[in-house]
Amino acid sequence: MEKIQHKMVPVNGLNMHVAELGQGPLVLFLHGFPELWYSWRHQILYLAAHGYRAVAPDLRGYGDTTGAPINDHTKFTTLHIVGDIVGLLDAVAPNEDKVFVVGHDWGAFIAWYLCLYRPDKVKALVNLSIPFLPRNPSMNNVDKFRALYGDDYYICRFQEPGDIEAEFSQIGVKRLVKKFLTYRTPGPLYFPRGKGWVGDSPNTPIVLPSWLSEEDVDYYASKFEKNGFTGGVNYYRAFDINWELTAPWTGAQVKVPTKFIVGELDLTYHMTGMKEYIHNGRFQKDVPLLQEAIVIEGAAHFINQEKPDEINKHIYDFIQKF
């Protein structure tokens, strides 16, 4: 880990913290919620050792990246985040027309939109956990989730500024990080109002799995204790604005060579209709250059940390083709 280099890059009005290692074709890693560049530590070391330059930023509102207007969720749309990424690539790889991109969770969501808005920037894509979600012209995502799962569903609870932050403060940062990263229930995640994490007793110890150490948790917690969770939650709060702004891309396809990987126990894989979408041909229709959709048995949501050896090999084997 001490080999990984860290620097600040002025990008799109931000000072973006970037972790990187290696020489060769650039592989850009985009993290999700509630994560950081650190989520890709295993992949950075592996790809750098196999002839690639691994670059992993803290995205807008996260970690050591500064300058984002945290109290204005309207500045966290896919257009803003993709703008950050394009600016970053222009700054750190001005001579590379196209790069490899690997995304997980929100990072995957943003990576889909990077490929939609700027396919000229992406050589090939490996996305984890979140498949491409085509725009529904008749209903935005938040209304859809509320209709499916009710007001206590986590995405619905995340909408009101300050609301979920108050719930989080009752749980505590370190415990919350542990709860998120060790979540393995293949079903909806709920935060009933005033009750915190459903089914959680604050006195019950959380046993960490073999792939997650106290040192790992401490790193995440140190950053979220400093900056809070609002930056990350703002991505969810921009769902409705994204829906409005992306009307011109209704029906558009992602035309970048793609590999998709999801854990068998991932809560996203068990969302209503998701398995059918991924496996019945509609995903392939929306992403015509999709080459594989892989389900890893026994793995949950944070698959790049839980199954690093498998994920490393999947990424390497795929990008080697290009």
Side-chain angles (χ1 to χ4, degrees), residues 257-290:
T258 301
K259 184 176 196 172
F260 175 73
I261 309 167
V262 66
E264 175 196 17
L265 302 177
D266 194 322
L267 75 166
T268 62
Y269 187 54
H270 292 266
M271 287 179 175
T272 302
M274 191 66 79
K275 290 181 185 178
E276 293 77 12
Y277 172 73
I278 291 170
H279 300 298
N280 75 358
R282 285 186 294 149
F283 188 17
Q284 183 79 60
K285 183 180 178 183
D286 291 329
V287 188
L289 300 181
L290 176 69

PDB file of all heavy atoms in Angstrom, residues 257-290:
ATOM      1  N   PRO A 257     -17.399  -1.586 -25.498  1.00  0.00           N
ATOM      2  CA  PRO A 257     -17.197  -2.986 -25.085  1.00  0.00           C
ATOM      3  C   PRO A 257     -17.248  -3.102 -23.564  1.00  0.00           C
ATOM      4  O   PRO A 257     -16.550  -2.364 -22.854  1.00  0.00           O
ATOM      5  CB  PRO A 257     -15.804  -3.314 -25.629  1.00  0.00           C
ATOM      6  CG  PRO A 257     -15.596  -2.363 -26.756  1.00  0.00           C
ATOM      7  CD  PRO A 257     -16.301  -1.097 -26.354  1.00  0.00           C
ATOM      8  N   THR A 258     -18.070  -4.026 -23.075  1.00  0.00           N
ATOM      9  CA  THR A 258     -18.386  -4.058 -21.646  1.00  0.00           C
ATOM     10  C   THR A 258     -18.401  -5.470 -21.092  1.00  0.00           C
ATOM     11  O   THR A 258     -18.850  -6.419 -21.742  1.00  0.00           O
ATOM     12  CB  THR A 258     -19.771  -3.423 -21.391  1.00  0.00           C
ATOM     13  OG1 THR A 258     -19.774  -2.070 -21.860  1.00  0.00           O
ATOM     14  CG2 THR A 258     -20.125  -3.434 -19.912  1.00  0.00           C
ATOM     15  N   LYS A 259     -17.927  -5.557 -19.834  1.00  0.00           N
ATOM     16  CA  LYS A 259     -18.074  -6.773 -19.030  1.00  0.00           C
ATOM     17  C   LYS A 259     -18.770  -6.363 -17.739  1.00  0.00           C
ATOM     18  O   LYS A 259     -18.409  -5.345 -17.130  1.00  0.00           O
ATOM     19  CB  LYS A 259     -16.693  -7.369 -18.718  1.00  0.00           C
ATOM     20  CG  LYS A 259     -16.697  -8.690 -17.955  1.00  0.00           C
ATOM     21  CD  LYS A 259     -15.258  -9.182 -17.824  1.00  0.00           C
ATOM     22  CE  LYS A 259     -15.193 -10.652 -17.430  1.00  0.00           C
ATOM     23  NZ  LYS A 259     -13.793 -11.154 -17.506  1.00  0.00           N
ATOM     24  N   PHE A 260     -19.769  -7.138 -17.331  1.00  0.00           N
ATOM     25  CA  PHE A 260     -20.524  -6.816 -16.117  1.00  0.00           C
ATOM     26  C   PHE A 260     -20.413  -7.965 -15.129  1.00  0.00           C
ATOM     27  O   PHE A 260     -20.514  -9.137 -15.512  1.00  0.00           O
ATOM     28  CB  PHE A 260     -21.993  -6.569 -16.446  1.00  0.00           C
ATOM     29  CG  PHE A 260     -22.854  -6.350 -15.237  1.00  0.00           C
ATOM     30  CD1 PHE A 260     -22.769  -5.165 -14.516  1.00  0.00           C
ATOM     31  CD2 PHE A 260     -23.737  -7.334 -14.795  1.00  0.00           C
ATOM     32  CE1 PHE A 260     -23.550  -4.962 -13.382  1.00  0.00           C
ATOM     33  CE2 PHE A 260     -24.512  -7.131 -13.672  1.00  0.00           C
ATOM     34  CZ  PHE A 260     -24.424  -5.946 -12.956  1.00  0.00           C
ATOM     35  N   ILE A 261     -20.197  -7.612 -13.862  1.00  0.00           N
ATOM     36  CA  ILE A 261     -20.039  -8.619 -12.806  1.00  0.00           C
ATOM     37  C   ILE A 261     -20.879  -8.213 -11.602  1.00  0.00           C
ATOM     38  O   ILE A 261     -20.862  -7.046 -11.183  1.00  0.00           O
ATOM     39  CB  ILE A 261     -18.563  -8.742 -12.371  1.00  0.00           C
ATOM     40  CG1 ILE A 261     -17.644  -8.936 -13.583  1.00  0.00           C
ATOM     41  CG2 ILE A 261     -18.392  -9.906 -11.396  1.00  0.00           C
ATOM     42  CD1 ILE A 261     -16.169  -8.762 -13.279  1.00  0.00           C
ATOM     43  N   VAL A 262     -21.605  -9.178 -11.031  1.00  0.00           N
ATOM     44  CA  VAL A 262     -22.421  -8.911  -9.849  1.00  0.00           C
ATOM     45  C   VAL A 262     -22.323 -10.097  -8.902  1.00  0.00           C
ATOM     46  O   VAL A 262     -22.141 -11.241  -9.335  1.00  0.00           O
ATOM     47  CB  VAL A 262     -23.895  -8.631 -10.247  1.00  0.00           C
ATOM     48  CG1 VAL A 262     -24.555  -9.868 -10.838  1.00  0.00           C
ATOM     49  CG2 VAL A 262     -24.700  -8.087  -9.068  1.00  0.00           C
ATOM     50  N   GLY A 263     -22.425  -9.832  -7.609  1.00  0.00           N
ATOM     51  CA  GLY A 263     -22.420 -10.897  -6.612  1.00  0.00           C
ATOM     52  C   GLY A 263     -23.798 -11.518  -6.477  1.00  0.00           C
ATOM     53  O   GLY A 263     -24.818 -10.827  -6.548  1.00  0.00           O
ATOM     54  N   GLU A 264     -23.811 -12.806  -6.261  1.00  0.00           N
ATOM     55  CA  GLU A 264     -25.073 -13.551  -6.117  1.00  0.00           C
ATOM     56  C   GLU A 264     -25.934 -12.995  -4.985  1.00  0.00           C
ATOM     57  O   GLU A 264     -27.165 -13.013  -5.053  1.00  0.00           O
ATOM     58  CB  GLU A 264     -24.738 -15.021  -5.854  1.00  0.00           C
ATOM     59  CG  GLU A 264     -25.916 -15.917  -5.561  1.00  0.00           C
ATOM     60  CD  GLU A 264     -25.492 -17.243  -4.948  1.00  0.00           C
ATOM     61  OE1 GLU A 264     -24.352 -17.349  -4.450  1.00  0.00           O
ATOM     62  OE2 GLU A 264     -26.324 -18.164  -4.970  1.00  0.00           O
ATOM     63  N   LEU A 265     -25.296 -12.475  -3.923  1.00  0.00           N
ATOM     64  CA  LEU A 265     -26.025 -11.964  -2.757  1.00  0.00           C
ATOM     65  C   LEU A 265     -26.142 -10.441  -2.749  1.00  0.00           C
ATOM     66  O   LEU A 265     -26.586  -9.866  -1.756  1.00  0.00           O
ATOM     67  CB  LEU A 265     -25.320 -12.424  -1.471  1.00  0.00           C
ATOM     68  CG  LEU A 265     -25.165 -13.938  -1.297  1.00  0.00           C
ATOM     69  CD1 LEU A 265     -24.377 -14.250  -0.028  1.00  0.00           C
ATOM     70  CD2 LEU A 265     -26.527 -14.620  -1.265  1.00  0.00           C
ATOM     71  N   ASP A 266     -25.773  -9.810  -3.848  1.00  0.00           N
ATOM     72  CA  ASP A 266     -25.834  -8.344  -3.938  1.00  0.00           C
ATOM     73  C   ASP A 266     -27.288  -7.888  -3.863  1.00  0.00           C
ATOM     74  O   ASP A 266     -28.142  -8.392  -4.595  1.00  0.00           O
ATOM     75  CB  ASP A 266     -25.206  -7.904  -5.257  1.00  0.00           C
ATOM     76  CG  ASP A 266     -24.897  -6.416  -5.314  1.00  0.00           C
ATOM     77  OD1 ASP A 266     -25.707  -5.616  -4.786  1.00  0.00           O
ATOM     78  OD2 ASP A 266     -23.875  -6.053  -5.890  1.00  0.00           O
ATOM     79  N   LEU A 267     -27.563  -6.901  -3.018  1.00  0.00           N
ATOM     80  CA  LEU A 267     -28.934  -6.401  -2.895  1.00  0.00           C
ATOM     81  C   LEU A 267     -29.448  -5.848  -4.225  1.00  0.00           C
ATOM     82  O   LEU A 267     -30.641  -5.933  -4.515  1.00  0.00           O
ATOM     83  CB  LEU A 267     -29.040  -5.345  -1.795  1.00  0.00           C
ATOM     84  CG  LEU A 267     -28.508  -3.925  -2.033  1.00  0.00           C
ATOM     85  CD1 LEU A 267     -29.041  -2.989  -0.935  1.00  0.00           C
ATOM     86  CD2 LEU A 267     -27.003  -3.853  -2.080  1.00  0.00           C
ATOM     87  N   THR A 268     -28.555  -5.292  -5.061  1.00  0.00           N
ATOM     88  CA  THR A 268     -29.017  -4.749  -6.339  1.00  0.00           C
ATOM     89  C   THR A 268     -29.463  -5.862  -7.289  1.00  0.00           C
ATOM     90  O   THR A 268     -30.392  -5.678  -8.075  1.00  0.00           O
ATOM     91  CB  THR A 268     -27.915  -3.918  -7.019  1.00  0.00           C
ATOM     92  OG1 THR A 268     -26.793  -4.755  -7.311  1.00  0.00           O
ATOM     93  CG2 THR A 268     -27.465  -2.791  -6.122  1.00  0.00           C
ATOM     94  N   TYR A 269     -28.824  -7.014  -7.206  1.00  0.00           N
ATOM     95  CA  TYR A 269     -29.167  -8.139  -8.077  1.00  0.00           C
ATOM     96  C   TYR A 269     -30.559  -8.672  -7.763  1.00  0.00           C
ATOM     97  O   TYR A 269     -31.212  -9.281  -8.602  1.00  0.00           O
ATOM     98  CB  TYR A 269     -28.119  -9.234  -7.907  1.00  0.00           C
ATOM     99  CG  TYR A 269     -28.241 -10.406  -8.866  1.00  0.00           C
ATOM    100  CD1 TYR A 269     -28.276 -10.216 -10.246  1.00  0.00           C
ATOM    101  CD2 TYR A 269     -28.289 -11.710  -8.385  1.00  0.00           C
ATOM    102  CE1 TYR A 269     -28.373 -11.293 -11.115  1.00  0.00           C
ATOM    103  CE2 TYR A 269     -28.380 -12.795  -9.247  1.00  0.00           C
ATOM    104  CZ  TYR A 269     -28.417 -12.577 -10.610  1.00  0.00           C
ATOM    105  OH  TYR A 269     -28.512 -13.649 -11.476  1.00  0.00           O
ATOM    106  N   HIS A 270     -31.015  -8.390  -6.526  1.00  0.00           N
ATOM    107  CA  HIS A 270     -32.320  -8.894  -6.088  1.00  0.00           C
ATOM    108  C   HIS A 270     -33.411  -7.832  -6.121  1.00  0.00           C
ATOM    109  O   HIS A 270     -34.522  -8.062  -5.636  1.00  0.00           O
ATOM    110  CB  HIS A 270     -32.193  -9.499  -4.680  1.00  0.00           C
ATOM    111  CG  HIS A 270     -31.377 -10.752  -4.665  1.00  0.00           C
ATOM    112  ND1 HIS A 270     -31.930 -12.006  -4.762  1.00  0.00           N
ATOM    113  CD2 HIS A 270     -30.034 -10.932  -4.604  1.00  0.00           C
ATOM    114  CE1 HIS A 270     -30.972 -12.916  -4.744  1.00  0.00           C
ATOM    115  NE2 HIS A 270     -29.813 -12.293  -4.654  1.00  0.00           N
ATOM    116  N   MET A 271     -33.118  -6.654  -6.702  1.00  0.00           N
ATOM    117  CA  MET A 271     -34.175  -5.668  -6.898  1.00  0.00           C
ATOM    118  C   MET A 271     -35.218  -6.232  -7.861  1.00  0.00           C
ATOM    119  O   MET A 271     -34.898  -7.040  -8.742  1.00  0.00           O
ATOM    120  CB  MET A 271     -33.590  -4.375  -7.481  1.00  0.00           C
ATOM    121  CG  MET A 271     -32.793  -3.556  -6.499  1.00  0.00           C
ATOM    122  SD  MET A 271     -32.131  -2.051  -7.302  1.00  0.00           S
ATOM    123  CE  MET A 271     -31.395  -1.231  -5.892  1.00  0.00           C
ATOM    124  N   THR A 272     -36.438  -5.812  -7.682  1.00  0.00           N
ATOM    125  CA  THR A 272     -37.545  -6.313  -8.503  1.00  0.00           C
ATOM    126  C   THR A 272     -37.240  -6.166  -9.996  1.00  0.00           C
ATOM    127  O   THR A 272     -36.950  -5.072 -10.477  1.00  0.00           O
ATOM    128  CB  THR A 272     -38.838  -5.548  -8.170  1.00  0.00           C
ATOM    129  OG1 THR A 272     -39.123  -5.711  -6.776  1.00  0.00           O
ATOM    130  CG2 THR A 272     -40.009  -6.074  -8.989  1.00  0.00           C
ATOM    131  N   GLY A 273     -37.261  -7.283 -10.698  1.00  0.00           N
ATOM    132  CA  GLY A 273     -37.069  -7.287 -12.143  1.00  0.00           C
ATOM    133  C   GLY A 273     -35.624  -7.258 -12.611  1.00  0.00           C
ATOM    134  O   GLY A 273     -35.362  -7.355 -13.816  1.00  0.00           O
ATOM    135  N   MET A 274     -34.669  -7.143 -11.670  1.00  0.00           N
ATOM    136  CA  MET A 274     -33.274  -6.956 -12.073  1.00  0.00           C
ATOM    137  C   MET A 274     -32.678  -8.207 -12.718  1.00  0.00           C
ATOM    138  O   MET A 274     -32.008  -8.123 -13.758  1.00  0.00           O
ATOM    139  CB  MET A 274     -32.425  -6.541 -10.868  1.00  0.00           C
ATOM    140  CG  MET A 274     -31.036  -6.076 -11.254  1.00  0.00           C
ATOM    141  SD  MET A 274     -31.061  -4.542 -12.220  1.00  0.00           S
ATOM    142  CE  MET A 274     -31.295  -3.333 -10.916  1.00  0.00           C
ATOM    143  N   LYS A 275     -32.904  -9.371 -12.121  1.00  0.00           N
ATOM    144  CA  LYS A 275     -32.358 -10.614 -12.697  1.00  0.00           C
ATOM    145  C   LYS A 275     -32.896 -10.827 -14.104  1.00  0.00           C
ATOM    146  O   LYS A 275     -32.148 -11.202 -15.024  1.00  0.00           O
ATOM    147  CB  LYS A 275     -32.708 -11.819 -11.822  1.00  0.00           C
ATOM    148  CG  LYS A 275     -31.985 -11.852 -10.491  1.00  0.00           C
ATOM    149  CD  LYS A 275     -32.383 -13.110  -9.724  1.00  0.00           C
ATOM    150  CE  LYS A 275     -31.777 -13.120  -8.332  1.00  0.00           C
ATOM    151  NZ  LYS A 275     -32.198 -14.313  -7.564  1.00  0.00           N
ATOM    152  N   GLU A 276     -34.184 -10.585 -14.274  1.00  0.00           N
ATOM    153  CA  GLU A 276     -34.798 -10.768 -15.591  1.00  0.00           C
ATOM    154  C   GLU A 276     -34.182  -9.803 -16.600  1.00  0.00           C
ATOM    155  O   GLU A 276     -33.884 -10.188 -17.738  1.00  0.00           O
ATOM    156  CB  GLU A 276     -36.314 -10.549 -15.505  1.00  0.00           C
ATOM    157  CG  GLU A 276     -37.064 -11.597 -14.685  1.00  0.00           C
ATOM    158  CD  GLU A 276     -36.917 -11.419 -13.182  1.00  0.00           C
ATOM    159  OE1 GLU A 276     -36.417 -10.359 -12.735  1.00  0.00           O
ATOM    160  OE2 GLU A 276     -37.310 -12.343 -12.442  1.00  0.00           O
ATOM    161  N   TYR A 277     -33.978  -8.564 -16.177  1.00  0.00           N
ATOM    162  CA  TYR A 277     -33.394  -7.563 -17.069  1.00  0.00           C
ATOM    163  C   TYR A 277     -31.986  -7.981 -17.512  1.00  0.00           C
ATOM    164  O   TYR A 277     -31.644  -7.898 -18.703  1.00  0.00           O
ATOM    165  CB  TYR A 277     -33.337  -6.196 -16.387  1.00  0.00           C
ATOM    166  CG  TYR A 277     -32.578  -5.160 -17.184  1.00  0.00           C
ATOM    167  CD1 TYR A 277     -33.131  -4.600 -18.334  1.00  0.00           C
ATOM    168  CD2 TYR A 277     -31.291  -4.771 -16.808  1.00  0.00           C
ATOM    169  CE1 TYR A 277     -32.423  -3.664 -19.088  1.00  0.00           C
ATOM    170  CE2 TYR A 277     -30.585  -3.844 -17.559  1.00  0.00           C
ATOM    171  CZ  TYR A 277     -31.152  -3.294 -18.689  1.00  0.00           C
ATOM    172  OH  TYR A 277     -30.456  -2.387 -19.442  1.00  0.00           O
ATOM    173  N   ILE A 278     -31.189  -8.430 -16.547  1.00  0.00           N
ATOM    174  CA  ILE A 278     -29.798  -8.774 -16.847  1.00  0.00           C
ATOM    175  C   ILE A 278     -29.703  -9.983 -17.765  1.00  0.00           C
ATOM    176  O   ILE A 278     -28.873 -10.021 -18.685  1.00  0.00           O
ATOM    177  CB  ILE A 278     -29.009  -9.032 -15.532  1.00  0.00           C
ATOM    178  CG1 ILE A 278     -28.828  -7.713 -14.763  1.00  0.00           C
ATOM    179  CG2 ILE A 278     -27.646  -9.678 -15.815  1.00  0.00           C
ATOM    180  CD1 ILE A 278     -28.275  -7.881 -13.357  1.00  0.00           C
ATOM    181  N   HIS A 279     -30.576 -10.971 -17.557  1.00  0.00           N
ATOM    182  CA  HIS A 279     -30.391 -12.269 -18.209  1.00  0.00           C
ATOM    183  C   HIS A 279     -31.327 -12.551 -19.392  1.00  0.00           C
ATOM    184  O   HIS A 279     -31.117 -13.528 -20.105  1.00  0.00           O
ATOM    185  CB  HIS A 279     -30.530 -13.387 -17.178  1.00  0.00           C
ATOM    186  CG  HIS A 279     -29.525 -13.316 -16.063  1.00  0.00           C
ATOM    187  ND1 HIS A 279     -28.168 -13.414 -16.287  1.00  0.00           N
ATOM    188  CD2 HIS A 279     -29.676 -13.135 -14.722  1.00  0.00           C
ATOM    189  CE1 HIS A 279     -27.522 -13.314 -15.121  1.00  0.00           C
ATOM    190  NE2 HIS A 279     -28.421 -13.138 -14.162  1.00  0.00           N
ATOM    191  N   ASN A 280     -32.343 -11.713 -19.603  1.00  0.00           N
ATOM    192  CA  ASN A 280     -33.322 -12.090 -20.645  1.00  0.00           C
ATOM    193  C   ASN A 280     -33.118 -11.360 -21.984  1.00  0.00           C
ATOM    194  O   ASN A 280     -33.970 -11.430 -22.868  1.00  0.00           O
ATOM    195  CB  ASN A 280     -34.756 -11.879 -20.144  1.00  0.00           C
ATOM    196  CG  ASN A 280     -35.169 -10.408 -20.101  1.00  0.00           C
ATOM    197  OD1 ASN A 280     -34.365  -9.526 -20.416  1.00  0.00           O
ATOM    198  ND2 ASN A 280     -36.406 -10.146 -19.717  1.00  0.00           N
ATOM    199  N   GLY A 281     -32.004 -10.645 -22.109  1.00  0.00           N
ATOM    200  CA  GLY A 281     -31.698 -10.010 -23.381  1.00  0.00           C
ATOM    201  C   GLY A 281     -31.886  -8.516 -23.426  1.00  0.00           C
ATOM    202  O   GLY A 281     -31.364  -7.842 -24.331  1.00  0.00           O
ATOM    203  N   ARG A 282     -32.626  -7.933 -22.459  1.00  0.00           N
ATOM    204  CA  ARG A 282     -32.851  -6.488 -22.496  1.00  0.00           C
ATOM    205  C   ARG A 282     -31.577  -5.698 -22.177  1.00  0.00           C
ATOM    206  O   ARG A 282     -31.312  -4.653 -22.769  1.00  0.00           O
ATOM    207  CB  ARG A 282     -33.973  -6.102 -21.528  1.00  0.00           C
ATOM    208  CG  ARG A 282     -35.367  -6.471 -22.048  1.00  0.00           C
ATOM    209  CD  ARG A 282     -36.435  -5.947 -21.129  1.00  0.00           C
ATOM    210  NE  ARG A 282     -36.388  -6.609 -19.829  1.00  0.00           N
ATOM    211  CZ  ARG A 282     -36.744  -6.039 -18.680  1.00  0.00           C
ATOM    212  NH1 ARG A 282     -37.163  -4.791 -18.674  1.00  0.00           N
ATOM    213  NH2 ARG A 282     -36.688  -6.719 -17.553  1.00  0.00           N
ATOM    214  N   PHE A 283     -30.793  -6.201 -21.232  1.00  0.00           N
ATOM    215  CA  PHE A 283     -29.503  -5.585 -20.889  1.00  0.00           C
ATOM    216  C   PHE A 283     -28.603  -5.570 -22.133  1.00  0.00           C
ATOM    217  O   PHE A 283     -27.994  -4.556 -22.469  1.00  0.00           O
ATOM    218  CB  PHE A 283     -28.871  -6.383 -19.747  1.00  0.00           C
ATOM    219  CG  PHE A 283     -27.626  -5.789 -19.142  1.00  0.00           C
ATOM    220  CD1 PHE A 283     -27.272  -4.456 -19.329  1.00  0.00           C
ATOM    221  CD2 PHE A 283     -26.797  -6.576 -18.350  1.00  0.00           C
ATOM    222  CE1 PHE A 283     -26.114  -3.925 -18.748  1.00  0.00           C
ATOM    223  CE2 PHE A 283     -25.646  -6.059 -17.767  1.00  0.00           C
ATOM    224  CZ  PHE A 283     -25.293  -4.741 -17.978  1.00  0.00           C
ATOM    225  N   GLN A 284     -28.554  -6.702 -22.817  1.00  0.00           N
ATOM    226  CA  GLN A 284     -27.751  -6.812 -24.039  1.00  0.00           C
ATOM    227  C   GLN A 284     -28.245  -5.843 -25.112  1.00  0.00           C
ATOM    228  O   GLN A 284     -27.446  -5.269 -25.861  1.00  0.00           O
ATOM    229  CB  GLN A 284     -27.818  -8.244 -24.576  1.00  0.00           C
ATOM    230  CG  GLN A 284     -26.969  -8.492 -25.814  1.00  0.00           C
ATOM    231  CD  GLN A 284     -25.498  -8.682 -25.495  1.00  0.00           C
ATOM    232  OE1 GLN A 284     -25.139  -9.591 -24.765  1.00  0.00           O
ATOM    233  NE2 GLN A 284     -24.643  -7.820 -26.053  1.00  0.00           N
ATOM    234  N   LYS A 285     -29.544  -5.627 -25.169  1.00  0.00           N
ATOM    235  CA  LYS A 285     -30.102  -4.692 -26.150  1.00  0.00           C
ATOM    236  C   LYS A 285     -29.680  -3.262 -25.851  1.00  0.00           C
ATOM    237  O   LYS A 285     -29.365  -2.482 -26.762  1.00  0.00           O
ATOM    238  CB  LYS A 285     -31.630  -4.803 -26.163  1.00  0.00           C
ATOM    239  CG  LYS A 285     -32.303  -3.912 -27.197  1.00  0.00           C
ATOM    240  CD  LYS A 285     -33.818  -4.063 -27.174  1.00  0.00           C
ATOM    241  CE  LYS A 285     -34.490  -3.130 -28.181  1.00  0.00           C
ATOM    242  NZ  LYS A 285     -35.970  -3.221 -28.118  1.00  0.00           N
ATOM    243  N   ASP A 286     -29.676  -2.904 -24.558  1.00  0.00           N
ATOM    244  CA  ASP A 286     -29.296  -1.549 -24.166  1.00  0.00           C
ATOM    245  C   ASP A 286     -27.786  -1.325 -24.250  1.00  0.00           C
ATOM    246  O   ASP A 286     -27.329  -0.192 -24.421  1.00  0.00           O
ATOM    247  CB  ASP A 286     -29.762  -1.256 -22.736  1.00  0.00           C
ATOM    248  CG  ASP A 286     -31.275  -1.150 -22.630  1.00  0.00           C
ATOM    249  OD1 ASP A 286     -31.904  -0.718 -23.616  1.00  0.00           O
ATOM    250  OD2 ASP A 286     -31.828  -1.523 -21.575  1.00  0.00           O
ATOM    251  N   VAL A 287     -27.016  -2.415 -24.070  1.00  0.00           N
ATOM    252  CA  VAL A 287     -25.548  -2.353 -24.137  1.00  0.00           C
ATOM    253  C   VAL A 287     -25.107  -3.383 -25.176  1.00  0.00           C
ATOM    254  O   VAL A 287     -24.690  -4.493 -24.836  1.00  0.00           O
ATOM    255  CB  VAL A 287     -24.914  -2.637 -22.759  1.00  0.00           C
ATOM    256  CG1 VAL A 287     -23.404  -2.388 -22.795  1.00  0.00           C
ATOM    257  CG2 VAL A 287     -25.550  -1.775 -21.672  1.00  0.00           C
ATOM    258  N   PRO A 288     -25.227  -3.068 -26.466  1.00  0.00           N
ATOM    259  CA  PRO A 288     -25.028  -4.072 -27.509  1.00  0.00           C
ATOM    260  C   PRO A 288     -23.637  -4.678 -27.560  1.00  0.00           C
ATOM    261  O   PRO A 288     -23.468  -5.784 -28.080  1.00  0.00           O
ATOM    262  CB  PRO A 288     -25.347  -3.305 -28.798  1.00  0.00           C
ATOM    263  CG  PRO A 288     -25.304  -1.862 -28.449  1.00  0.00           C
ATOM    264  CD  PRO A 288     -25.664  -1.769 -27.015  1.00  0.00           C
ATOM    265  N   LEU A 289     -22.627  -3.990 -26.999  1.00  0.00           N
ATOM    266  CA  LEU A 289     -21.276  -4.539 -26.978  1.00  0.00           C
ATOM    267  C   LEU A 289     -20.958  -5.231 -25.657  1.00  0.00           C
ATOM    268  O   LEU A 289     -19.799  -5.490 -25.338  1.00  0.00           O
ATOM    269  CB  LEU A 289     -20.246  -3.434 -27.263  1.00  0.00           C
ATOM    270  CG  LEU A 289     -20.402  -2.737 -28.623  1.00  0.00           C
ATOM    271  CD1 LEU A 289     -19.315  -1.690 -28.820  1.00  0.00           C
ATOM    272  CD2 LEU A 289     -20.381  -3.741 -29.762  1.00  0.00           C
ATOM    273  N   LEU A 290     -22.002  -5.538 -24.874  1.00  0.00           N
ATOM    274  CA  LEU A 290     -21.835  -6.323 -23.647  1.00  0.00           C
ATOM    275  C   LEU A 290     -21.340  -7.718 -24.017  1.00  0.00           C
ATOM    276  O   LEU A 290     -21.995  -8.444 -24.763  1.00  0.00           O
ATOM    277  CB  LEU A 290     -23.171  -6.424 -22.900  1.00  0.00           C
ATOM    278  CG  LEU A 290     -23.192  -7.286 -21.640  1.00  0.00           C
ATOM    279  CD1 LEU A 290     -22.371  -6.649 -20.526  1.00  0.00           C
ATOM    280  CD2 LEU A 290     -24.634  -7.513 -21.173  1.00  0.00           C
TER     281      LEU A 290
END
